[in-house]
Amino acid sequence: MRLNIHDSWKPYLEEEFSKPYFKSLVSFVKAEYKTHTCFPPKEQIFNAFNHCHFNDLKVVIIGQDPYHGLGQANGLCFSVNNGIAHPPSLINIFKEIENDLGIPYPKSGNLLRWADQGVLMLNATLTVRANEAGSHQKKGWETFTDAVIQLINTKKQGVVFLLWGGYAKRKKKLIDKSKNTILQTGHPSPLSANRGYWFGNKHFSKTNFQLEQAELKPILW
C-alpha cells in the first residue's frame, strides 16, 4: 500500500504514519490486496484526502465501511463510480437534497464533485475485502481515521461535521462543538429512512447556511 496522500495532509499525518499500529495496518492491507480482491483500488484508498485538500476542507461526512461490490467503491464514503447503480443509502441522500434544495436527482453517484469543493467523505475503515462487509475493521483503520477527525478538530474551526446514524454519532466525542458545527440525524439507509429518521433533516441547506455565516463559499450539492 503506497501512501499516495496529498501533500497538504502530510505535515499533519507524518507522525501517525510512523506509529507501530499504522505500520502493522500497512502490512495487513498489502497482504490482503495481494491475496484477495479488495476495494477500493489501491490507488484510490486515500481518494478522500487527495480530492479534499487540508487547507480547503469545510465539511466532513463520516461513513463506516467502503462498498464491497465490484466497481462500487472509489475511496469516498457513500460515493460510487460513474455508471454504477446507486446504492439505497445514496438514493436517499439524493432524494433529501432534491427535497431540501430543489436540485434534480443526478445521473452519477460519483461524489468527487463534492470532495473537490472541500467535503471530506471519510469512511472509518478505508478498505474492505470483496463481498465481505466489515472484513477490514479493527485492523487499525479506525485508530487512523479517529486521529484524522481529532486533527481537523484541533487545527481548524468552523468545520461542519455531518454525523449520520449511530456509528457516526459516536464520533462526536472527538469534536469540540464550541469551535466546529455538528449536525446529526439518522442514517440514510432504508431501514432508518423508512422509519422517519432521515428525510427532512435539511442537512444540506443547514450546512450551506453555516458556511455562509462563516463567509465561506457554499457547497454545490
Side-chain angles (χ1 to χ4, degrees):
M1 181 178 75
R2 291 178 58 200
L3 295 176
N4 57 333
I5 193 167
H6 189 264
D7 287 346
S8 65
W9 290 92
K10 287 179 180 177
Y12 304 104
L13 293 175
E14 279 177 342
E15 184 179 345
E16 210 65 28
F17 293 151
S18 68
K19 292 180 178 179
Y21 89 86
F22 196 86
K23 292 179 179 179
S24 296
L25 171 63
V26 169
S27 297
F28 167 77
V29 172
K30 281 181 178 178
E32 283 287 291
Y33 274 77
K34 189 174 181 179
T35 56
H36 298 88
T37 299
C38 296
F39 301 121
K42 283 187 287 187
E43 65 275 10
Q44 295 182 349
I45 291 173
F46 293 102
N47 241 11
F49 301 88
N50 290 330
H51 283 268
C52 178
H53 303 164
F54 183 80
N55 297 335
D56 300 329
L57 188 153
K58 298 184 284 191
V59 180
V60 178
I61 300 175
I62 298 174
Q64 188 166 358
D65 217 31
Y67 296 123
H68 53 82
L70 181 65
Q72 290 182 304
N74 64 3
L76 311 179
C77 68
F78 297 106
S79 175
V80 292
N81 289 306
N82 294 329
I84 297 295
H86 300 178
S89 291
L90 185 58
I91 290 172
N92 287 337
I93 288 170
F94 286 150
K95 284 181 178 179
E96 177 59 24
I97 292 172
E98 193 170 24
N99 293 334
D100 185 12
L101 297 170
I103 296 173
Y105 190 102
K107 289 182 179 179
S108 174
N110 193 331
L111 304 181
L112 286 173
R113 61 187 184 273
W114 294 2
D116 290 335
Q117 297 177 73
V119 182
L120 182 69
M121 282 169 282
L122 183 67
N123 274 317
T125 304
L126 298 189
T127 56
V128 69
R129 193 184 291 183
N131 304 314
E132 294 186 38
S135 50
H136 288 186
Q137 291 177 3
K138 299 180 181 177
K139 302 295 183 180
W141 277 130
E142 296 92 338
T143 302
F144 172 69
T145 51
D146 277 1
V148 170
I149 295 168
Q150 290 174 304
L151 159 71
I152 294 166
N153 180 67
T154 301
K155 298 293 184 181
K156 299 183 78 74
Q157 59 182 18
V159 174
V160 181
F161 287 86
L162 302 181
L163 308 184
W164 298 340
Y167 184 87
K169 288 176 185 177
R170 292 201 290 272
K171 303 297 182 182
K172 65 183 176 183
K173 66 180 183 292
L174 306 173
I175 304 162
D176 181 355
K177 62 183 180 182
S178 71
K179 59 182 292 194
N180 294 300
T181 298
I182 297 173
L183 298 177
Q184 57 184 10
T185 190
H187 196 276
S189 68
L191 184 65
S192 173
N194 293 340
R195 292 177 178 174
Y197 299 132
W198 168 256
F199 292 114
N201 64 65
K202 298 189 179 297
H203 272 196
F204 305 95
S205 60
K206 288 176 180 178
T207 295
N208 281 349
F209 175 79
Q210 292 294 331
L211 296 177
E212 288 168 340
Q213 290 295 104
E215 299 184 348
L216 295 172
K217 192 173 181 180
I219 305 299
L220 297 174
W221 300 104

